Each structure stands twice: as C-alpha cells, then as structure tokens.
C-alpha cells in the first residue's frame, strides 16, 4: 500500500494544484482567466502520471486509488484554504470511499 501511495502522490499533488487554480477561477473571472487555463494544463500533466500507473495496475484499481486520494486532498484544500465546511453527507461519502478501497484491496 505504501508503494501505491508513493506512486500516486505526485499525480495527486499536480491534480490538487489544478483544482486550486480552477477553484480560484470559479471564484473570479471564470473561463477567461489565467487560473482556469493553468488549472486545465495541470490536469493534462496529471494524465501522464495516470498513464504510468495504468501500466502497472488495473484501470479499476487506478480509478479507486486516484478517486479516494483526490477526494481527501480536495477536502483538505476546501476546508483549509477556502474555508468550506463539510456536510454530514460528505463525511459519509468519504467514509464510504474507504470501504471501496478496502473492497478493491481485499478482493481485487
């Protein structure tokens, strides 16, 4: 598990930077902003990391790991940087994502 996490950390970091920039664009000028286009560029760069991961893992496993790690990173970004509050349904969703990871790890 530690190896998978280490492999995904750069991809998640790049994705998170894209998320930050797109959120800034959403709060400001939107589609016409530099933040939007930079965010989109960071998303494209993260696809390179996913391509590498897909060479060594099934698409299902890559999808689950990427989704869960991105959810956790975006949740931290939203709460710590943008001051967003988590709703109970979002906390339940995060808990269920760990259930999905457990299923994929144990039965996949």
């Amino acid at each position: 598990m530690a190896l998978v996490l280490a492999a995904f950390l750069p991809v998640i970091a790049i994705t998170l930077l894209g998320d930050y920039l797109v959120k800034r664009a959403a709060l400001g000028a939107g589609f016409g902003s530099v933040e939007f286009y930079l965010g989109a560029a960071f998303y494209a760069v993260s696809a390179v990391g996913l391509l590498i991961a897909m060479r060594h893992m099934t698409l299902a496993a890559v999808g689950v790991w990427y989704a869960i790690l991105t959810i956790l990173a975006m949740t931290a970004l939203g709460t710590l940087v943008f001051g967003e509050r988590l709703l109970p349904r979002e906390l339940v969703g995060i808990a269920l994502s760990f259930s999905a990871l457990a299923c994929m790890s144990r039965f996949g």
Side-chain angles (χ1 to χ4, degrees):
M1 180 169 145
L3 183 60
V4 172
L5 184 61
F8 272 101
L9 285 180
V11 175
I12 299 303
I14 292 167
T15 302
L16 190 62
L17 185 53
D19 293 332
Y20 170 78
L21 291 166
V22 170
K23 178 67 174 184
R24 295 248 338 214
L27 296 173
F31 288 110
S33 67
V34 172
E35 287 96 348
F36 174 75
Y37 292 106
L38 284 173
F42 278 104
Y43 288 146
V45 170
S46 71
V48 174
L50 291 175
L51 176 127
I52 294 167
M54 288 177 195
R55 289 183 175 172
H56 304 285
M57 300 169 67
T58 65
L59 185 59
V62 168
V64 170
W65 277 100
Y66 181 74
I68 290 170
L69 294 174
T70 303
I71 287 168
L72 294 175
M74 288 179 71
T75 300
L77 180 67
T79 56
L80 299 174
V81 175
F82 293 106
E84 299 173 349
R85 300 185 76 181
L86 289 175
L87 299 172
R89 67 185 167 112
E90 293 165 335
L91 293 171
V92 169
I94 291 168
L96 289 173
S97 71
F98 282 104
S99 297
L101 181 58
C103 288
M104 292 297 293
S105 296
R106 182 160 185 121
F107 304 113

